[in-house]
Amino acid sequence: MKNPNIKPTSVEKVMREDDFIVSKTDTKGRITYGNRIFIEYSGYSAAELLGAQHNIIRHPDMPRAVFKLLWDTIQARQECFAYVKNMAKDGSFYWVYANVTPSFGTDGSLLGYYSVRRKPKASAVKTVTDLYRAMLEAEQRTGARDAIGASTRLLTDLLREKGAEYDEFILSL
């Protein structure tokens, strides 16, 4: 679970071009695997990560609606692409371009989720930073009960304006 004692800082860790952060979770979002690059950027040890909820690295600048969209997509057995701002154990942050996919057993049963994250394009980070800030403001204005709905409406309106589905928008950045 996310540690409320960790305070975000303005220190950014920028991923290297050839870095791939890899993690796996069970169906409840508990980490079952994290590669050495995940450990490096998150600042947590393997022992601290294994068994923890993946939201241990959730940055408070991330709108709740983005994670709802991600979870709805992968629970529908589809892959999801997203730009995500993560927070390390020391409060620093790092942006990733994430691809999250469901993992299936040979019998078709859902085993968990697999995520590969790489360095995002700077122009895409600029675009989603502005979008996420507006979404987060909408969430804060409406209060906890209606936050996700308000933020989702803002995203839906943007997509309608652009004439694009979510995946098309993300892949175009």
Side-chain angles (χ1 to χ4, degrees):
M1 179 144 153
K2 189 171 162 307
N3 184 339
N5 297 322
I6 298 174
K7 301 294 180 226
T9 70
S10 59
V11 176
E12 180 176 7
K13 297 177 184 178
V14 177
M15 291 184 67
R16 297 171 294 260
E17 291 296 330
D18 58 348
D19 280 343
F20 286 92
I21 295 174
V22 179
S23 61
K24 294 180 184 180
T25 69
D26 62 16
T27 57
K28 303 289 187 199
R30 289 181 298 256
I31 300 168
T32 59
Y33 171 78
N35 71 346
R36 66 176 177 75
I37 304 295
F38 184 34
I39 292 166
E40 174 188 342
Y41 280 94
S42 73
Y44 290 95
S45 69
E48 289 172 310
L49 289 171
L50 294 177
Q53 288 291 320
H54 208 285
N55 70 0
I56 191 172
I57 59 169
R58 183 182 185 276
H59 195 285
D61 287 351
M62 285 297 300
R64 291 171 46 200
V66 172
F67 291 110
K68 178 167 183 353
L69 172 69
L70 187 143
W71 271 103
D72 287 351
T73 303
I74 62 177
Q75 288 179 327
R77 299 175 157 244
Q78 299 170 354
E79 73 179 335
C80 187
F81 292 90
Y83 288 90
V84 179
K85 184 178 186 179
N86 291 320
M87 185 167 64
K89 185 178 179 180
D90 66 2
S92 64
F93 68 94
Y94 56 102
W95 278 97
V96 298
Y97 178 57
N99 172 243
V100 186
T101 59
S103 297
F104 303 102
T106 54
D107 63 353
S109 63
L110 181 64
L111 301 176
Y113 304 102
Y114 183 76
S115 179
V116 177
R117 280 96 71 200
R118 63 181 179 249
K119 182 179 180 178
K121 291 187 279 186
S123 59
V125 169
K126 170 71 174 108
T127 299
V128 297
T129 296
D130 294 342
L131 172 60
Y132 290 176
R133 184 177 303 113
M135 291 173 71
L136 199 57
E137 287 170 2
E139 289 181 6
Q140 292 165 344
R141 254 192 327 273
T142 58
R145 191 186 76 202
D146 300 318
I148 292 175
S151 184
T152 300
R153 278 189 297 284
L154 196 147
L155 178 60
T156 303
D157 290 348
L158 172 76
L159 294 173
R160 189 177 307 112
E161 177 185 307
K162 293 195 172 295
E165 296 292 320
Y166 173 78
D167 283 347
E168 292 174 300
F169 171 68
I170 291 298
L171 294 171
S172 74
L173 295 178

